[in-house]
Amino acid sequence: MTDRSGSKDLFDRAMQVMPGGVSSPVRSVEPYPFFVESGDGAYVTTEDGDRLVDYCMGYGPLLLGHGLPHEVREAVDAQIDDGVLYGAPTELEVEFAEHVVDRVPSMEMLRLVNTGTEATMSAVRAARGYTGDDKIVKVEGGFHGAHDGVLVEGGSGLSTLGTPDSAGVPRSFTRHTLQVPFNDADAVERVLEEFDDVACVLVEPMMGNCGPVEPDDGYLERLRELTQEHGVLLVFDEVITGFRLDLGGAQQRYGVEPDLTTLGKVAGAGFPIGVFGGRRDVMREVAPAGDVYQAGTFSGHPVTVAAGLESLRFVEREDVLGYVDSLGSKLRSGLSDVVEDTRPEYTVGGVASIFKVFFTPDGELPRDRDDVDRCDTERWRRIFWTEMRDEGVFLPPSQYESQFVSYSHTEEDVEETLEAYDEALR
Ligand SMILES: Cc1ncc(COP(=O)(O)O)c(C=O)c1O
C-alpha cells in the first residue's frame, strides 16, 4: 500500500484554513485529494511520492506540458528583470493582441483580462451594452466560469427563466438567462422567437465541461443564421478550444465566425489570462472607447503576456498541434479498442488533443448535457478516478471534465495509459 499520509496531513491543515481544503471545487475528491509537489513534462509527482502521467494538464492551459520551453522561460525571465507590472500600456501587449487578431478569424479587436470567467462576464456585458437588451441564451451544461448570470440551474429551461445554481446568486440576475440544450438549434429558434430582448447566444462551440461533446454538422451554422436573423450577437466561448482545436480555435476548425469570442487557458501558457474580443463595432463600445465599463489592475500582465506570446509562437514554429492531435487520435482509437473489449456499453469522445471515455449505458456518443447525465458518473467519481491514480494516471475527478494530451506526452505514455485503462475497466 502506498503511504499517502503526505497528502492526508496537508489536507487536514488545508481544511482548517480553506473551505473544503481546496482553492477550486473540482479539485476536491473523497476522502482527500493528492497534493502535487512538482510537475515535469507529462508527469506530476505527488506529496506521497506517486509519479503520475497527467491528462488534467491544469484543466487545459498546459498545451506544452509542465515546464516551459527555454524560449518561453527566457521571455518570462527577461520580463521579470524589466519589471513585473507597470499599470501602463506595453509594446508586448500590442504584439500579443496583433498575434491573436491575425489568427482567430472573427477577432478584430480585443481586451486582455485575467481569467476565462472575467472574459465571458465582460463579453456578455459588451453584448448587452451593444444591443441594449438584457437577456442571454446559454446552453445547459455549458460552463463559462463562476459569475452570477451564468450560474443557472442545469434543468431544461426552454423558454423558462433561469434559477440560480449557487447560493448567493440573486434570482433577479438569473431570470435574464435562458437555457437550451446543446445541438438543438430549433430550441434556440423558439427562444429567439419568443423573446425579443436577447443580447447574445453564449455557447462553447465544442462543449468542454460536459464531456467533450462536439457540435453536430450544421449546428453552429444554424446558430449563426438564427442570431443574424434576430439581431442577436453570437458569442463563442473558446476558453478551452482556443489555440487548441486549431490555431484559430474552434471557429477555424468548424468554419463558423461568431460576433464575439472569449479565450483563456492555452493563451497564457499556464499563467492567468482571459481575452474577449471580436467585431470592431462591438468592441468599440468597451471603455474607454465606449460606455461598457471594464477594467483590471492585472489586465495585460507583462509576465503573462510575455509567456503567452512566446509560447503561441513556439506552438506554431514546432507544429505542436500536429503532434498533439495525432497523439490524441492514437489515444482515442486505442481507448475505443479497450472499451470494446472491456465495457462495450461505454464510448470514447473527443477531438484533436481532447479525449474522454464516457460511461454510457448504451455506447451512444453524448450529444448534450442530458446524455452525459445518463452516464455512470458515480462510478467515475468514486471508483474509476482512484483506480486510475493507482495505475499511475492523473485524470480529472469527474466524468464531465475534458482530458488533454500535451506536447510533452509520448507514444510510450499513450501505450502505458491504454494498459492502465484496460486494467481499471476490467
Ligand atoms: C469554456 C470555459 N469558459 C470559461 C471558463 C472559466 O475560466 P477560468 O477558470 O479561467 O475563470 C472555463 C474554465 O474551465 C471554461 O472551460
Side-chain angles (χ1 to χ4, degrees):
M1 266 298 261
T2 308
D3 172 13
R4 297 215 163 83
S5 55
S7 288
K8 166 104 182 46
D9 292 348
L10 282 169
F11 187 65
D12 288 343
R13 279 171 55 198
M15 283 294 276
Q16 300 305 311
V17 286
M18 298 157 73
V22 291
S23 295
S24 190
V26 73
R27 298 177 201 172
S28 172
V29 287
E30 290 165 22
Y32 54 88
F34 59 73
F35 281 59
V36 174
E37 184 194 79
S38 61
D40 162 29
Y43 288 82
V44 292
T45 301
T46 72
E47 292 285 354
D48 314 305
D50 286 319
R51 187 169 146 82
L52 309 174
V53 59
D54 180 3
Y55 294 102
C56 190
M57 282 292 153
Y59 288 92
L62 304 181
L63 179 61
L64 302 179
H66 296 279
L68 300 170
H70 72 91
E71 299 92 323
V72 181
R73 173 69 72 101
E74 274 170 18
V76 168
D77 285 349
Q79 187 55 54
I80 291 172
D81 286 344
D82 286 347
V84 169
L85 188 67
Y86 310 123
T90 63
E91 180 177 357
L92 210 55
E93 67 193 309
V94 182
E95 276 183 50
F96 183 92
E98 287 168 347
H99 185 97
V100 177
V101 164
D102 284 348
R103 279 151 189 83
V104 181
S106 66
M107 192 76 92
E108 294 179 331
M109 264 189 167
L110 60 81
R111 166 67 50 91
L112 294 170
V113 293
N114 301 289
T115 61
T117 297
E118 217 186 317
T120 62
M121 184 179 76
S122 309
V124 165
R125 188 178 301 154
R128 286 174 165 153
Y130 179 81
T131 58
D133 291 319
D134 285 344
K135 289 201 174 58
I136 66 169
V137 177
K138 79 171 273 296
V139 163
E140 289 161 20
F143 181 69
H144 306 289
H147 54 95
D148 289 348
V150 292
L151 290 179
V152 185
E153 238 175 33
S156 184
L158 177 60
S159 296
T160 56
L161 302 172
T163 49
D165 197 18
S166 159
V169 174
R171 194 168 283 267
S172 56
F173 289 16
T174 51
R175 80 187 162 78
H176 295 299
T177 306
L178 305 157
Q179 291 216 94
V180 289
F182 192 63
N183 273 328
D184 186 349
D186 290 345
V188 173
E189 183 168 24
R190 286 196 292 274
V191 167
L192 295 186
E193 272 166 13
E194 186 171 343
F195 296 93
D196 62 4
D197 55 345
V198 175
C200 66
V201 172
L202 171 64
V203 60
E204 293 171 80
M206 180 220 73
M207 293 235 280
N209 295 277
C210 219
V213 177
E214 272 213 274
D216 288 347
D217 283 348
Y219 172 64
L220 298 174
E221 287 83 347
R222 267 205 76 207
L223 291 188
R224 179 64 288 180
E225 283 161 21
L226 287 168
T227 45
Q228 247 152 11
E229 264 167 46
H230 288 269
V232 166
L233 298 185
L234 180 61
V235 184
F236 278 180
D237 181 353
E238 296 228 40
V239 167
I240 283 186
T241 53
F243 300 110
R244 184 179 280 278
L245 289 208
D246 216 317
L247 291 174
Q251 56 195 268
Q252 184 176 354
R253 184 180 184 101
Y254 299 120
V256 176
E257 292 191 20
D259 301 295
L260 293 178
T261 300
T262 58
L263 301 165
K265 301 211 190 237
V266 169
F271 294 89
I273 197 165
V275 176
F276 72 100
R279 267 168 50 185
R280 195 179 295 280
D281 58 336
V282 181
M283 291 307 290
R284 280 208 180 115
E285 296 294 320
V286 176
D291 294 334
V292 174
Y293 193 67
Q294 197 289 322
T297 300
F298 296 110
S299 296
H301 195 286
V303 178
T304 298
V305 169
L309 182 58
E310 210 45 54
S311 97
L312 292 177
R313 286 177 176 149
F314 181 91
V315 166
E316 243 167 88
R317 208 169 45 240
E318 303 295 326
D319 187 23
V320 166
L321 296 189
Y323 178 80
V324 293
D325 288 7
S326 92
L327 218 52
S329 299
K330 284 207 175 84
L331 199 41
R332 283 190 300 274
S333 119
L335 284 172
S336 296
D337 294 342
V338 169
V339 161
E340 205 178 299
D341 276 1
T342 57
R343 285 285 183 159
E345 70 276 28
Y346 291 176
T347 188
V348 180
V351 60
S353 53
I354 306 179
F355 71 101
K356 192 87 182 177
V357 175
F358 287 103
F359 288 7
T360 43
D362 51 13
E364 289 289 321
L365 203 55
R367 291 180 58 247
D368 63 15
R369 164 71 183 240
D370 281 355
D371 290 347
V372 183
D373 285 345
R374 276 193 284 275
C375 294
D376 192 350
T377 54
E378 279 301 289
R379 177 178 188 197
W380 228 110
R381 193 175 68 82
R382 290 186 176 279
I383 307 167
F384 186 66
W385 181 86
T386 314
E387 286 172 340
M388 287 301 280
R389 180 205 59 193
D390 293 347
E391 294 292 332
V393 182
F394 174 18
L395 303 180
S398 161
Q399 171 75 91
Y400 293 88
E401 299 287 343
S402 288
Q403 299 168 182
F404 304 96
V405 176
S406 82
Y407 194 56
S408 297
H409 288 88
T410 62
E411 305 233 347
E412 295 81 72
D413 293 327
V414 167
E415 289 306 320
E416 282 170 26
T417 302
L418 293 175
E419 281 167 29
Y421 268 92
D422 190 84
E423 197 61 41
L425 285 177
R426 233 164 243 290

